[in-house]
Amino acid sequence: MRTVYLQGDSLLHRLNPLSKFLVNLALFIFVLFTNDPWAPLAFIALTVLVLVLLGRVPLLRLVKLMTPLVLIATVFLLMYPLAVRQSLVDHTPLLWQWGPLRVYAGSLDHALATALRILALLALSLPFSLTTDSADFIRALVQQGRLPYRVGYSTLAAFGFIPMLQNEVSVIGAAHRVRGVNGTAGWRGAYERLRRYAVPLLTGAIRQAERTALAMDGRAFGALPQRTYFQRMRFTAVDWLFVFGMLAVSALLVFALYHFGLLGELSLLKIL
Amino acid sequence: MIDVSALTVKYTGRKRPVLRELSLQVPKGQTLLILGPSGSGKSSLALTLNGLIPHSIGEVLGGAVRVAGADTQHTPVAQLAQRVGILFQDPDAQFATLTVEDEIVFGLENLCLDPAQMDARVEAALAQVGMAHARRRPVFALSGGEKQRIALAALLAMQPEVLVFDEPTAHLDSVGTQQVFALLAQLKARGEHTLILIEHKLDELMHLVDRVVVLDMDGAVFADGPPRTLFDQHAVELQEMGVWMPQVCLLAQQLRTAGLPLKAFPVTIGEAVKALGPALAAAPPAPAPVPSPVNPGGAAVYSVRDLSFSYGDMPALHNVSLDIQQGDFLAIVGPNGAGKSTLARHLIGLLTPPPGTVLLNEQDVHDLDARRLAQQVAYVFQNPEHQFVTERVDDEVAFGLRAAGMGEEQVAAQTARLLETFGLARYAPANPFTLSHGEKRRLSVAAMLAIGQETLILDEPTFGQDERNAAALMALLRALNAEGKTVVMITHDMRLVAEAADKVAVILGGRLEFFGPPAELFAQGDLLARAHLNLPPLARLAALLATQHPQMAGWATLQDYQPLSEAVRV
């Protein structure tokens, strides 16, 4: 299975996955509320600093990882001025007109803020996703997050199915092509294809799930209410320090933005 | 150690019990082989031993199973898991976690073992299967054989007294099979476990087996005894039931029917050498074996010239050149990942070959689209389910005919004829997914050949089939070949190569290392060893006997041994 996980032994790697997840969640929710470009920009900068200083992610690697995210944001930046409701911005100067398409200065501001907000939301997930092994995350959820272990370990087993399913999809596609199945274009074609793929895929997946379940039961999975853990996940003082440190730095950042009048209005529903 | 008494087991929703009044006692330390046609309940019997039946699936209607005195119906699974471990056949469907170490501690954690004891157990288990170097590796990056070794290590770490092997090599190539069999031999030599085997690659195993139990289609014990007595007394019945038998037993049976006196009925190749030696000295076979008919060599159907290919920066094929002639029966062999499927995919245009590297009837495959190719060449995938595109058996066959632009009346007639030929006529309105394993395979071949393609390419067609279905399929392919159709078959089964193919291509590390008649390949011990290919059992026997009787050199099939029977008659 391909994930973005980067193997390493940095401070960020050694933290409990839950502490990274908590910080990620808190900042994510805050950025959702922003409306001006400055706050998202500040949090993107903070994220990059955390990744480089605490995560020891090589700069070149970071640039490679960020490029597709920046591209997504750029698409928003280009499309948004055309999509924004005219009544919101028609009091601002008209910059450009081509037939019925009008671009106002106000819609550019909206576009920039939205694009940066999207970039920030995507970037904020990186410290967690780049430095957390998926198995460790589930271990932490079970050991510290009170997730029932039967649920957690079933999820982990399901992760193991992903490469098999990817492989199945490509083999079924090839098998159908060899039979001379020519895809009809458009929605009908897509529906047809979905229907044709679904039965063999589901049959295979259910069979695999049944077999895996038997193999797990055969090794006493779920036989006892408790289980022990070879790899004990810990939520240490360093984790507390990271969580409160990050929250404190973020609060300072927000205060500074507010102080210089760069914070803007905070609201969840932007269009109102 | 194991005491099964009058056990009857049924799966919910099925009418017939899968096991019926089955009784079986296995003493501690015995190595027991369970045989039976597919559907006879071999795997179900295995599942009753560690309590998965009835604790996870199925129900026990009568009788009982005791393992070391504990009744499995009333003993918690956690306790049974420490007594009986089962290695299943699908290496991709028995992992609970993502890395080797996690996988091995998984069972220990479930048993609430003290984490301080786990490290030593992991190390010992990995050392026992020769995978100590792989402790930190992700499971998905392992080969099939390595996955089975890790799955076995995970069982060994739980220190069970009984180990059950449920067709552990069914999904493996010859490399993986050799690894698993080597481990089995090691376990047997250590003598710490009671071993229960369900397998059909028998000639490689028979020297380990103390006792054989055969189940019949009712899920009851049909025969039970030491291998020699059992195969000696029941050879004919077992063949009729569709049960796999060691090749040397089939040979011994054939020779005995011809009137050759055998002092002891041989079960292993070593025994066959001893048993046949005196008989051969008394009645030496005719000097020249009947040469198998070789395709005179018609026009080239396929011409492959200097074909190279890589997936990204992973080289997969390197300068492969070969000609496949009209009427050839070509087997492509080699370890997994060597490039067999990659080559086949270029032949059918699933991977587009560079211009001029693959010619089909003198047309460049590079320029042909998938539909045009599909009208000339049929390609049968390993898993028949992947190729089904309709919801009725008859539609499945008609699909290709309609796509080729045939009129409805003709379609109906041709479909009916094909279903009849392939023995599927009574399933015409059924959903393809409801057919049995063997029927699905036949349907996929019928559907692919519907428009009368002259060339048929098959990816491991006998994969997962029992003896009877595999033999029926091979008979069908040989009949098609005799009609003049060209057959190309990817396989791991060297017995099939010996019996059916007139040419064989060995692909190793992306290179074509051999292309010629099977008999020539069987004589190249070096290459066979490098490609991890086993000689078919009867070829190994012939090679041993050929030191005394050079006229036997190159014999590989029951057919090749015919001169022996004739010599007896004279």
Side-chain angles (χ1 to χ4, degrees):
Chain A
M1 186 176 42
R2 281 184 58 187
T3 62
V4 289
Y5 175 62
L6 277 179
Q7 220 146 24
D9 190 32
S10 70
L11 175 73
L12 222 46
H13 282 90
R14 276 176 277 129
L15 284 174
N16 188 300
L18 291 184
S19 62
K20 286 178 275 185
F21 189 73
L22 278 178
V23 168
N24 179 4
L25 194 69
L27 300 190
F28 187 91
I29 290 172
F30 177 77
V31 170
L32 264 186
F33 279 87
T34 60
N35 281 304
D36 271 31
W38 296 108
L41 205 57
F43 279 103
I44 292 170
L46 177 65
T47 305
V48 168
L49 276 180
V50 167
L51 281 172
V52 173
L53 295 180
L54 302 184
R56 306 236 166 257
V57 179
L59 266 176
L60 194 70
R61 191 63 190 252
L62 194 59
V63 171
K64 263 192 194 163
L65 282 161
M66 294 287 284
T67 310
L69 307 187
V70 172
L71 278 178
I72 294 172
T74 312
V75 169
F76 270 89
L77 184 64
L78 296 177
M79 299 303 293
Y80 201 84
L82 304 176
V84 73
R85 192 149 37 121
Q86 303 273 310
S87 61
L88 281 176
V89 291
D90 55 8
H91 57 276
T92 60
L94 181 68
L95 292 181
W96 183 73
Q97 182 173 15
W98 191 71
L101 295 177
R102 292 147 189 256
V103 174
Y104 294 93
S107 53
L108 267 192
D109 290 347
H110 273 280
L112 192 64
T114 308
L116 282 172
R117 190 164 63 241
I118 285 165
L119 185 59
L121 294 178
L122 292 171
L124 277 175
S125 69
L126 287 179
F128 174 79
S129 54
L130 286 183
T131 65
T132 310
D133 177 60
S134 40
D136 280 342
F137 181 45
I138 288 185
R139 264 192 278 267
L141 278 175
V142 171
Q143 293 179 27
Q144 276 91 35
R146 304 188 179 206
L147 182 74
Y149 83 81
R150 288 183 181 89
V151 178
Y153 277 78
S154 303
T155 315
L156 201 56
F159 279 163
F161 289 7
I162 293 170
M164 167 272 200
L165 286 175
Q166 284 169 338
N167 185 39
E168 287 271 289
V169 170
S170 79
V171 172
I172 293 170
H176 288 181
R177 246 181 301 152
V178 162
R179 291 210 58 189
V181 176
N182 50 337
T184 328
W187 287 107
R188 251 201 80 147
Y191 168 75
E192 277 288 302
R193 207 161 36 246
L194 190 68
R195 201 183 53 85
R196 274 203 319 268
Y197 275 56
V199 180
L201 257 184
L202 278 177
T203 323
I206 291 170
R207 196 177 296 142
Q208 170 125 349
E210 276 174 354
R211 287 177 181 167
T212 306
L214 279 181
M216 287 167 71
D217 286 359
R219 285 192 283 144
F221 179 66
L224 302 173
Q226 295 295 317
R227 76 201 287 283
T228 50
Y229 296 94
F230 180 57
Q231 282 189 49
R232 196 78 229 176
M233 302 301 288
R234 282 169 217 292
F235 206 94
T236 60
V238 180
D239 286 293
W240 289 118
L241 204 66
F242 174 74
V243 171
F244 286 113
M246 282 299 290
L247 292 183
V249 169
S250 305
L252 268 175
L253 209 55
V254 173
F255 181 77
L257 287 166
Y258 175 73
H259 184 75
F260 293 108
L262 298 174
L263 186 58
E265 214 175 301
L266 294 180
S267 73
L268 187 57
L269 299 165
K270 320 287 186 198
I271 314 296
L272 294 178
Chain B
M1 188 76 217
I2 293 168
D3 179 10
V4 182
S5 56
L7 181 71
T8 301
V9 167
K10 194 173 95 67
Y11 288 110
T12 327
R14 300 277 183 84
K15 281 186 204 131
R16 262 163 34 93
V18 59
L19 298 174
R20 198 188 296 263
E21 308 233 339
L22 186 142
S23 295
L24 180 67
Q25 281 80 39
V26 187
K28 192 173 162 65
Q30 191 169 63
T31 302
L32 170 69
L33 171 70
I34 302 179
L35 294 175
S38 64
S40 58
K42 304 185 293 289
S43 297
S44 301
L45 176 58
L47 295 180
T48 62
L49 300 180
N50 71 347
L52 284 175
I53 295 178
H55 291 292
S56 288
I57 50 165
E59 44 191 317
V60 172
L61 298 183
V65 179
R66 281 191 189 75
V67 177
D71 185 335
T72 57
Q73 282 181 76
H74 305 112
T75 309
V77 173
Q79 273 178 43
L80 292 171
Q82 296 173 76
R83 295 193 174 151
V84 183
I86 304 184
L87 184 64
F88 293 96
Q89 59 170 273
D90 188 347
D92 291 315
Q94 45 186 321
F95 290 111
T97 66
L98 306 177
T99 70
V100 168
E101 183 184 84
D102 286 356
E103 193 57 34
I104 293 176
V105 294
F106 176 77
L108 307 178
E109 293 175 334
N110 290 334
L111 296 173
C112 287
L113 194 79
D114 178 1
Q117 293 177 26
M118 289 183 188
D119 189 62
R121 290 234 203 164
V122 173
E123 225 159 80
L126 281 176
Q128 208 175 340
V129 300
M131 292 286 289
H133 58 283
R135 182 163 175 165
R136 309 265 167 231
R137 287 176 63 190
V139 169
F140 74 87
L142 304 174
S143 73
E146 289 171 332
K147 281 181 184 165
Q148 289 297 59
R149 284 153 77 187
I150 294 305
L152 178 60
L155 297 175
L156 289 171
M158 298 173 80
Q159 302 179 341
E161 296 150 274
V162 180
L163 281 170
V164 183
F165 294 79
D166 187 356
E167 303 226 25
T169 68
H171 289 235
L172 302 183
D173 62 357
S174 45
V175 184
T177 303
Q178 287 173 6
Q179 293 175 348
V180 171
F181 284 172
L183 279 179
L184 260 173
Q186 254 181 52
L187 286 170
K188 167 86 180 173
R190 294 179 77 149
E192 291 164 4
H193 297 93
T194 305
L195 300 174
I196 296 183
L197 317 176
I198 303 172
E199 241 314 331
H200 69 252
K201 294 168 188 163
L202 300 178
D203 289 276
E204 287 86 346
L205 275 185
M206 283 320 295
H207 62 287
L208 304 176
V209 174
D210 302 321
R211 173 183 170 198
V212 181
V213 165
V214 182
L215 304 187
D216 61 22
M217 281 310 285
D218 288 330
V221 173
F222 168 78
D224 179 353
R228 192 181 323 285
T229 337
L230 188 131
F231 289 125
D232 187 358
Q233 288 171 358
H234 299 286
V236 180
E237 294 137 296
L238 294 183
Q239 270 177 285
E240 279 167 10
M241 285 168 70
V243 173
W244 295 100
M245 294 217 310
Q247 287 260 291
V248 292
C249 294
L250 292 173
L251 174 65
Q253 167 66 11
Q254 175 181 306
L255 293 176
R256 200 168 50 179
T257 318
L260 188 79
L262 293 174
K263 243 190 278 168
F265 193 83
V267 174
T268 65
I269 290 170
E271 290 171 7
V273 172
K274 275 188 213 137
L276 291 181
L280 280 169
V290 194
S292 51
V294 172
N295 182 20
V301 176
Y302 269 111
S303 265
V304 180
R305 288 288 166 271
D306 289 328
L307 177 64
S308 296
F309 181 76
S310 19
Y311 294 100
D313 50 5
M314 286 269 292
L317 285 179
H318 194 82
N319 282 342
V320 172
S321 298
L322 57 88
D323 278 335
I324 305 175
Q325 269 148 2
Q326 176 76 44
D328 271 351
F329 198 126
L330 170 68
I332 303 180
V333 300
N336 278 350
K340 304 186 299 292
S341 298
T342 308
L343 173 61
R345 285 174 161 244
H346 278 98
L347 298 182
I348 190 65
L350 282 172
L351 293 167
T352 309
T357 54
V358 181
L359 301 182
L360 167 62
N361 297 320
E362 296 178 355
Q363 301 155 284
D364 195 336
V365 172
H366 176 81
D367 303 326
L368 294 173
D369 64 36
R371 281 173 55 99
R372 291 271 302 284
L373 271 165
Q375 285 170 13
Q376 299 180 53
V377 184
Y379 190 105
V380 179
F381 277 72
Q382 193 182 78
N383 179 351
E385 289 177 358
H386 286 155
Q387 275 182 298
F388 295 152
V389 291
T390 70
E391 279 145 29
R392 283 169 61 107
V393 168
D394 49 2
D395 282 345
E396 206 49 50
V397 176
F399 182 88
L401 302 174
R402 292 194 184 114
M406 201 180 271
E408 266 315 300
E409 253 173 61
Q410 258 184 302
V411 168
Q414 172 78 344
T415 303
R417 197 181 63 77
L418 274 165
L419 289 182
E420 196 60 48
T421 316
F422 284 80
L424 294 165
R426 64 199 170 104
Y427 301 117
N431 188 307
F433 282 88
T434 61
L435 299 179
S436 79
H437 214 60
E439 290 156 357
K440 278 180 190 156
R441 170 48 80 214
R442 288 210 299 279
L443 175 60
S444 69
V445 177
M448 286 314 300
L449 278 177
I451 51 175
Q453 295 95 324
E454 282 302 300
T455 304
L456 180 60
I457 303 176
L458 306 104
D459 190 354
E460 296 191 50
T462 57
F463 184 83
Q465 306 271 322
D466 69 1
E467 215 282 330
R468 194 205 308 261
N469 282 323
L473 181 70
M474 290 315 294
L476 181 79
L477 293 180
R478 268 192 274 189
L480 290 169
N481 183 236
E483 284 171 25
K485 292 199 192 289
T486 310
V487 180
V488 178
M489 179 176 76
I490 299 175
T491 186
H492 289 305
D493 189 339
M494 294 298 279
R495 210 184 104 192
L496 291 186
V497 175
E499 286 172 0
D502 51 27
K503 281 185 190 153
V504 55
V506 179
I507 309 238
L508 190 57
R511 289 166 199 274
L512 181 69
E513 294 272 343
F514 176 88
F515 185 73
E520 271 177 37
L521 171 63
F522 296 158
Q524 298 194 16
D526 268 8
L527 174 60
L528 289 170
R530 266 197 301 137
H532 292 274
L533 295 169
N534 282 327
L535 272 183
L538 292 184
R540 232 177 308 156
L541 175 61
L544 291 170
L545 289 170
T547 54
Q548 298 290 319
H549 307 276
Q551 62 270 52
M552 293 183 73
W555 291 10
T557 65
L558 284 174
Q559 189 68 36
D560 293 338
Y561 280 78
Q562 274 297 330
L564 282 187
S565 308
E566 277 146 31
V568 176
R569 264 183 229 122
V570 176

